[in-house]
Amino acid sequence: MERISAAETSLSGGDPATGEMVMRGHRLPDLIARPYEEVVAILWDAEIPARMSPDALAAARCDAFARLSPRFAAMPSDLTVIECQRFLLASLPGAAMTPTMLVAGAAVAAASAIRLVRGQAPVAPDRSLPHAADLLRMIHDAAVGEAETRALDRYLVAMVDHGVNASTFTARVVASTGGSLSAAALAALGALEGPLHGGAPGLVLDMLDAIGEADHAEGWVTAALDRGERLMGFGSRAYHIRDPRADIMKDSLLALQRSGASRVAEGRLAFAEAVERTVLSVMAARRPERTLHTNVEFYAALLLEALGVPRAGFTPLFAASRAAGWAAHVREQERTGRMLRPTSRYVGPLPAGRPKTGRGQE
């Protein structure tokens, strides 16, 4: 059921067999070399007339922060980071929610939510900085170097769009009913929250923490599989081979380590690599008929950790990147003029005396 085609899109897509990911005619490895703002401009070119620019996005960050500042004190104190981001994003008036404001607002809300939940005051944007550099500065309240900026840029680009995934489909459904961009984005954010979509990277680190040492990996993985647990960071509905974004995240982490800017211990990556090899080996032995591959969340989690992002902030950062994709898909769906209304088969009890026809009811 999950492989049924739900929509046609000219924005992005991945080949399940080859692992090649294409966005508006550009291969992902070519896009990774570009800053996030430039990639968003490429993604939006077909659907959103007002092209993305660094100056426009910087101005929108400042506008979003000014609009959200009065809400900081009103935020309930018991929210999680993702709940706080949703609260703040919902506080931006729908009339002001342009695609650029959505991208800016999602980033400002993510950084502010991370700080608010920690009991820290949000940091105002700096319109002189590129988007990735300012996003990290707003999280840490400190200037960041080129290596850190480049690492986050690569993450944002890799995650900006990926076909009609669960959160993107949710956004398209809302848009197809005539709902606003704001409503579509908030619905998409809700779909992103779960552990099988945007919530997976934080659970990758939880798994690594539970394993503790490389020598414990085989026993831990075997026991987890015996209990029927899912191993986060492995397996993909989109690809039959290794997720092409996984190696981009790993390469980005290696570059960050070489620069000396990583915020985690030097042995962290070597430990994670050992766990990865163990998982793939154990799965190959237990289920040779089902090849399991590493997906993007495994090394994305390690990269965000190395950038000093708390794991509760991983999904909000994912949303800050994917917001640009949601905006493009909303516009693409609006252009079709059709409401998305999947059918279903009724398989419940029938009224007394009604014969079974062998067909469900739409």
Side-chain angles (χ1 to χ4, degrees):
M1 294 289 287
E2 67 273 4
R3 299 298 300 174
I4 293 174
S5 178
E8 293 184 345
T9 179
S10 64
L11 296 169
S12 72
D15 186 324
T18 67
E20 182 177 58
M21 180 179 168
V22 176
M23 187 182 303
R24 298 294 303 147
H26 298 263
R27 292 183 177 87
L28 182 59
D30 299 328
L31 294 173
I32 283 295
R34 304 170 185 247
Y36 179 69
E37 296 93 323
E38 188 173 328
V39 173
V40 173
I42 292 170
L43 180 65
W44 284 3
D45 186 51
E47 301 298 332
I48 300 173
R51 288 178 60 85
M52 171 65 67
S53 73
D55 289 343
L57 185 53
R61 288 197 305 272
C62 293
D63 187 6
F65 189 86
R67 292 174 182 271
L68 291 176
S69 292
R71 307 296 294 169
F72 295 151
M75 189 193 76
S77 60
D78 57 349
L79 298 185
T80 64
V81 178
I82 187 67
E83 290 169 343
C84 182
Q85 182 190 35
R86 189 164 58 236
F87 174 88
L88 293 174
L89 202 57
S91 300
L92 292 173
M97 189 61 81
T98 64
T100 302
M101 176 59 79
L102 173 59
V103 175
V108 169
S112 298
I114 288 170
R115 293 186 62 80
L116 285 165
V117 169
R118 287 173 158 181
Q120 300 168 327
V123 176
D126 182 342
R127 65 187 307 158
S128 70
L129 293 176
H131 190 65
D134 201 24
L135 180 49
L136 274 178
R137 189 193 65 84
M138 287 190 290
I139 292 172
H140 296 307
D141 192 18
V144 297
E146 183 178 344
E148 294 164 287
T149 298
R150 189 74 201 99
L152 184 60
D153 242 333
R154 289 167 67 91
Y155 170 82
L156 295 175
V157 169
M159 308 303 282
V160 66
D161 196 53
H162 198 236
V164 184
N165 52 82
S167 60
T168 296
F169 179 65
T170 301
R172 292 185 74 123
V173 169
V174 174
S176 78
T177 68
S180 66
L181 176 60
S182 178
L186 289 168
L189 185 57
L192 193 71
E193 183 177 346
L196 301 187
H197 193 13
L203 297 176
V204 169
L205 298 190
D206 291 344
M207 178 183 71
L208 294 178
D209 289 348
I211 293 172
E213 298 179 17
D215 291 344
H216 299 164
E218 184 172 356
W220 191 95
V221 169
T222 299
L225 292 174
D226 288 343
R227 294 190 298 269
E229 295 177 4
R230 183 183 297 269
L231 301 178
M232 290 300 175
F234 299 92
S236 171
R237 296 287 178 88
Y239 298 103
H240 301 154
I241 64 173
R242 185 180 178 89
D243 190 322
R245 299 167 297 171
D247 287 329
I248 289 173
M249 296 295 95
K250 184 177 180 179
D251 290 345
S252 301
L253 180 56
L254 286 167
L256 190 64
Q257 285 190 331
R258 287 193 297 268
S259 74
S262 174
R263 294 173 181 245
V264 296
E266 187 174 340
R268 183 67 158 167
L269 176 57
F271 166 60
E273 289 175 322
V275 171
E276 178 187 23
R277 289 192 297 269
T278 300
V279 170
L280 298 179
S281 174
V282 170
M283 283 298 298
R286 288 174 65 111
R287 301 188 64 178
E289 79 286 355
R290 182 191 174 192
T291 304
L292 192 70
H293 296 284
T294 310
N295 63 39
V296 66
E297 282 88 2
F298 189 80
Y299 284 106
L302 292 161
L303 180 62
L304 292 178
E305 179 186 44
L307 288 169
V309 178
R311 62 190 67 180
F314 288 1
T315 302
L317 260 290
F318 191 169
S321 168
R322 188 59 60 86
W326 294 338
H329 279 271
V330 164
R331 292 293 184 258
E332 186 177 60
Q333 183 62 45
E334 289 173 341
R335 186 164 52 80
T336 70
R338 299 182 62 185
M339 187 178 79
L340 286 172
R341 173 52 167 95
T343 60
S344 62
R345 288 197 318 118
Y346 176 71
V347 296
L350 296 173
R354 178 174 173 177
K356 294 183 178 181
T357 63
R359 296 176 58 189
Q361 303 298 310
E362 292 187 357

